[in-house]
Amino acid sequence: MKRFFILVFLSALFLIACKKKPKPSSSSEKLFTYNSLTSDVSSIKQGDATNIKANITGAASIAWSASAGDIFGNDRTVLFAAGSCCTGNHTVTCTVSDANNNSESKSVVIYVHS
Amino acid sequence: MNRFIFIFLLTFIYFCGKSQCCGGCNPIGGNTNQGTLPKYMLQVNSYFRNATSQGYFEKDHPSDFKFVKNGNSNFIGLQVGYGITKRFTADIETGYYLNRTQNFEIYGSSFRLNGYGGSAVTLTGKYNFIKDTVHDFEFTAGIGVKVPWGIKPMVVNGVELSEDVQPSNGAFGIALRSFLFKEFDHGDVKIFLMNTLTFNGTNPKEYKEGNTYISALFLSKRLIKNLTGICQVRNELRERAYRQNTPVTSSGGIRFVFIPQLNYSIKQKFNFSVLYELPFYQNYNGIQLRDKNAFSINLNIRLGLNKNVNQLCEKPR
């Protein structure tokens, strides 16, 4: 029994010790070009929506956020809509990042009126 | 503020040490946080709640506004309480959204946003100030600290969800509770009143949910041996929310909810209840999504970790 435990312990130790470390990125080269972030319109009524387009070339992952309101879609073009919650100016931000840990954010301001 | 809470807690602990009286067994009131437990008694209360919302209200009447077609949520809640002394009970309360969904119809196309995850953890200390076994009356008050499961907003497929479908508001808070209980010998009737004031902090996105003031009046009557009927009328008053120190026009309001409930008890240890929430008056600031209804199923287990504890649930004569 004791031998069994020693064997299990050694196997576990071996597996942990032999874990491959991820290779550090050899390059910090930016893999994308973030040209612009544009909205179809700069002002919408409550309950309405507008398309927002991120003009990007290259391989990148995209993250969207808004100070208020709802975002539909997850690609380079999304639909921003504001319900009854959100009158006033609201900022929609699109952050682009690549495998080399480069990232860039751009924002547009949409005015929501009642 | 921190100093105030610290002094309050110390005062609680001091009085707990001095406690001489008795904490009885309070009635079960569905998924609401209640009075104190007898010393060494452990209570586990778990529930499932389904809620739906549909249509908009402007002030107290339906609105033509169209945006969210409907919404629904499925929530699992857990409350664990323990009677530390005869007068002092500590409990922890948390919950998890299986889904918090809104369906939209915009320009003739359908969209859906769906959040899920833990909501908040609330740690509460409750002290039984008055326990009059002759007149079957008691008063308990407590304070709780609300800690969000996460302070970062939930992101699904690279898109940050709006506040309405986030499982947690990402803000700390304080909850003050009071519990008044009165039992009438005639006809096995019990009345209890619970008040909860929740003060919400501001989250990292500078969004502050409005403080809430909830009063719930319960009328409980034993129908047959193990079956109790409970009628609850709840009043919820919510202050306006603030976004970057600016009040959100369409937020806050008042609503009254009627909640009939049936409770089946097995050996005073296990209680199974079902309840239905029907809002009968809603008056909102601006235009807001209307709560349609909700139902819950609830399982409550009370275990005495000391042999004599269960006897305390018998009414003293």
Side-chain angles (χ1 to χ4, degrees):
Chain A
M1 194 65 178
K2 201 174 171 184
R3 239 179 241 179
F4 171 74
F5 277 118
I6 291 167
L7 200 67
V8 169
F9 177 74
L10 286 176
S11 309
L13 200 68
F14 175 78
L15 285 171
I16 295 163
C18 292
K19 209 171 187 178
K20 256 190 179 177
K21 280 185 182 176
K23 265 189 179 178
S25 178
S26 55
S27 166
S28 60
E29 183 194 354
K30 205 171 172 184
L31 303 175
F32 65 89
T33 308
Y34 195 166
N35 301 311
S36 63
L37 183 71
T38 51
S39 171
D40 282 357
V41 291
S42 60
S43 168
I44 57 169
K45 199 180 167 192
Q46 279 181 322
D48 282 350
T50 179
N51 283 307
I52 298 178
K53 188 180 178 187
N55 189 331
I56 307 155
T57 51
S61 62
I62 302 166
W64 292 90
S65 66
S67 59
D70 299 288
I71 296 169
F72 304 103
N74 54 9
D75 208 349
R76 296 174 186 214
T77 301
V78 295
L79 189 70
F80 170 76
S84 58
C85 66
C86 326
T87 47
N89 284 318
H90 297 298
T91 308
V92 179
T93 304
C94 177
T95 302
V96 180
S97 50
D98 66 16
N100 290 342
N101 290 327
N102 297 300
S103 72
E104 192 178 341
S105 293
K106 287 187 193 293
S107 298
V108 286
V109 176
I110 310 290
Y111 178 69
V112 180
H113 59 91
S114 52
Chain B
M1 189 67 181
N2 287 342
R3 203 173 284 178
F4 169 76
I5 296 165
F6 184 63
I7 291 167
F8 193 93
L9 285 174
L10 278 183
T11 314
F12 251 162
I13 292 161
Y14 173 76
F15 278 110
C16 292
K18 294 261 176 189
S19 69
Q20 294 294 319
C21 194
C22 33
C25 280
N26 296 309
I28 307 296
N31 49 24
T32 42
N33 193 309
Q34 297 193 16
T36 53
L37 296 164
K39 191 178 178 182
Y40 301 137
M41 178 171 271
L42 177 76
Q43 174 174 267
V44 180
N45 192 37
S46 59
Y47 63 93
F48 167 79
R49 182 175 185 267
N50 170 278
T52 55
S53 46
Q54 191 171 28
Y56 280 85
F57 252 47
E58 184 171 7
K59 298 288 178 190
D60 62 350
H61 56 273
S63 164
D64 293 335
F65 185 76
K66 282 184 173 54
F67 186 62
V68 176
K69 198 174 162 191
N70 55 55
N72 71 80
S73 66
N74 288 294
F75 184 79
I76 295 172
L78 181 71
Q79 297 160 351
V80 180
Y82 184 68
I84 295 172
T85 72
K86 287 174 183 174
R87 282 186 183 266
F88 184 75
T89 291
D91 68 40
I92 182 165
E93 189 179 340
T94 189
Y96 186 91
Y97 276 101
L98 298 171
N99 75 294
R100 203 176 179 195
T101 307
Q102 285 191 337
N103 297 303
F104 300 77
E105 197 162 292
I106 302 165
Y107 301 144
S109 300
S110 297
F111 300 92
R112 170 180 281 201
L113 291 178
N114 187 32
Y116 54 88
S119 58
V121 178
T122 306
L123 300 159
T124 306
K126 289 179 284 191
Y127 187 75
N128 179 222
F129 287 94
I130 302 169
K131 177 82 181 178
D132 183 343
T133 51
V134 177
H135 300 99
D136 292 320
F137 174 79
E138 74 168 81
F139 173 72
T140 296
I143 185 169
V145 179
K146 199 175 87 173
V147 181
W149 266 44
I151 54 168
K152 282 187 178 174
M154 188 179 194
V155 174
V156 175
N157 295 328
V159 176
E160 189 182 296
L161 299 176
S162 65
E163 292 111 9
D164 294 337
V165 288
Q166 289 284 346
S168 166
N169 66 7
F172 289 80
I174 290 174
L176 302 176
R177 302 179 200 277
S178 73
F179 176 83
L180 264 170
F181 170 70
K182 171 74 185 154
E183 183 170 357
F184 296 95
D185 282 334
H186 183 71
D188 269 339
V189 175
K190 294 169 183 174
I191 292 178
F192 43 114
L193 175 72
M194 282 186 285
N195 292 297
T196 306
L197 280 69
T198 307
F199 301 99
N200 292 306
T202 305
N203 72 15
K205 279 195 79 177
E206 293 184 64
Y207 182 79
K208 182 190 179 299
E209 267 189 9
N211 300 330
T212 54
Y213 308 90
I214 298 173
S215 294
L217 181 70
F218 295 74
L219 181 72
S220 151
K221 181 170 171 43
R222 184 175 292 181
L223 302 173
I224 50 172
K225 194 185 170 191
N226 293 322
L227 190 70
T228 306
I230 300 173
C231 279
Q232 183 193 159
V233 177
R234 194 169 67 209
N235 165 235
E236 297 174 5
L237 179 70
R238 185 182 285 274
E239 290 181 344
R240 277 186 206 278
Y242 278 78
R243 184 178 286 116
Q244 287 153 352
N245 292 321
T246 307
V248 177
T249 316
S250 289
S251 67
I254 189 168
R255 66 173 205 152
F256 286 86
V257 191
F258 176 62
I259 307 164
Q261 178 182 337
L262 279 175
N263 180 69
Y264 186 77
S265 178
I266 304 167
K267 292 179 180 176
Q268 287 191 324
K269 282 185 180 176
F270 304 96
N271 284 275
F272 178 77
S273 36
V274 288
L275 56 114
Y276 181 76
E277 297 177 36
L278 184 69
F280 62 91
Y281 178 76
Q282 300 178 71
N283 191 335
Y284 296 125
N285 299 322
I287 301 170
Q288 292 181 50
L289 192 62
R290 180 181 73 99
D291 291 323
K292 196 177 169 194
N293 53 31
F295 79 88
S296 301
I297 50 173
N298 188 73
L299 178 67
N300 182 294
I301 303 166
R302 285 175 170 175
L303 299 169
L305 301 184
N306 175 321
K307 278 183 182 176
N308 299 323
V309 170
N310 293 323
Q311 291 167 8
L312 290 171
C313 286
E314 301 294 336
K315 190 179 166 187
R317 296 288 172 197

